[in-house]
Amino acid sequence: MKCTNKCLALLTALAVCFGATGCSDEAIAFSYNPDYKVSAFRISGDTGFETADAFASGLCVVNGDINTDNSAVDMTDATSAGLFDLNSRTVLYAKNIHERLAPASLTKLMTAVVALKYGNPNDVITVSSNMGNLESGAVVCGLAEGDQLTLNQALHALLIKSANDAAVAIAEHIGGSVEGFADMMNEEAQAIGATNSHFVNPHGLNAENHYVTAYDMYLIFNEALKYDTVNEIISMTSYDTVYTDKNGNEKTLSVKNTNQYLAGNVAAPDRVTVIGGKTGTTNAAGNCLILLARDTSGNPYIAVILKSAERGILYTEMNALLEQATS
């Protein structure tokens, strides 16, 4: 109690000093109150007052490499990787977890987060003429100027086929422009703690100053999984729908999942079920993959690998990573 009184006396003296002639030209209001419910002044042993929750109280937190000397996890050909136990909020594996790297189409998870936060799945998108401005060879679903489809339909094309034209259509609908939407992406990244990332487009095609970290991708995917629409879409193996062109004629969209686990081309380790996720590949980003998986008890995990050398190696590495969830 004496310590508390001395602290209060010192702080009061400082407040008087700042408000008195000779210390400052104008009085400065003392901003602390010993009765504030989360104040550090309440150190006298009182009970019943509230405390502030830490920002990361419900998140996995990691500073550096974890378990990289595990011979069962060969990440030689991957630049960065992480495995996160969502129930225990424990990081089971981490390699170069905070290194800034190109994310390729993993970017589209942040696009989905912003779209669902600020849009409605039933919104009708009218496609602009910008669909032809994508780089040569970019994956598209065939959208043309004047086409109309719902945001929900566009999100399916975005997350299942990884359609870059769908990403642009979403960005222009929500943000007014690709640039405006990128600003929204960066604001949302900051809000969820992904402060080591920066976006300049909604699709992840090669661009200067467009990067994430494996840890930030965990934060972004964790945020995306709060939306039922995302959970539904990432678990789908294929999707068929009908939208209209500029003349009102029907157009059919049929897409298949690029995730090799969901496509049935790669088997997950025993006692692990892959629920869904997002793939990404560009020359700059290499081969990238982020997954939501569950063990036989239903416990959820997020696993992410950035910049693996080849697609085949990527899935071998991912299986080695997922096996750590049940070891």
Side-chain angles (χ1 to χ4, degrees), residues 34-87:
D35 294 322
Y36 184 56
K37 65 184 180 181
V38 294
S39 173
F41 301 133
R42 296 187 65 93
I43 57 176
S44 62
D46 293 347
T47 59
F49 58 88
E50 297 180 32
T51 58
D53 290 333
F55 174 82
S57 61
L59 298 171
C60 301
V61 178
V62 57
N63 292 323
D65 287 357
I66 293 177
N67 209 22
T68 52
D69 59 350
N70 187 340
S71 60
V73 183
D74 183 1
M75 286 290 162
T76 305
D77 293 298
T79 300
S80 179
L83 178 63
F84 306 87
D85 184 332
L86 302 189
N87 276 359

Side-chain angles (χ1 to χ4, degrees), residues 175-217:
S177 66
V178 166
E179 295 76 17
F181 188 80
D183 289 340
M184 297 172 71
M185 295 171 74
N186 289 319
E187 289 175 5
E188 186 63 21
Q190 293 287 316
I192 65 176
T195 57
N196 217 10
S197 297
H198 188 265
F199 302 96
V200 299
N201 63 53
H203 40 62
L205 294 174
N206 293 333
E208 187 177 354
N209 207 30
H210 187 101
Y211 56 82
V212 301
T213 67
Y215 182 73
D216 282 5
M217 278 311 311

Side-chain angles (χ1 to χ4, degrees), residues 43-163:
I43 57 176
S44 62
D46 293 347
T47 59
F49 58 88
E50 297 180 32
T51 58
D53 290 333
F55 174 82
S57 61
L59 298 171
C60 301
V61 178
V62 57
N63 292 323
D65 287 357
I66 293 177
N67 209 22
T68 52
D69 59 350
N70 187 340
S71 60
V73 183
D74 183 1
M75 286 290 162
T76 305
D77 293 298
T79 300
S80 179
L83 178 63
F84 306 87
D85 184 332
L86 302 189
N87 276 359
S88 67
R89 298 186 294 278
T90 302
V91 182
L92 303 179
Y93 183 90
K95 176 185 177 182
N96 299 329
I97 203 78
H98 297 298
E99 182 173 345
R100 292 177 175 179
L101 297 166
S105 287
L106 271 59
T107 297
K108 295 179 173 82
L109 288 168
M110 177 56 80
T111 299
V113 168
V114 176
L116 288 168
K117 182 173 182 177
Y118 295 99
N120 185 297
N122 294 322
D123 287 352
V124 176
I125 297 172
T126 300
V127 177
S128 78
S129 60
N130 291 335
M131 299 304 102
N133 295 337
L134 298 168
E135 66 185 49
S136 177
V139 174
V140 296
C141 64
L143 297 180
E145 184 177 1
D147 286 351
Q148 289 194 322
L149 72 167
T150 65
L151 176 58
N152 185 60
Q153 289 173 312
L155 286 169
H156 279 76
L158 179 84
L159 296 177
I160 297 176
K161 186 178 177 61
S162 202

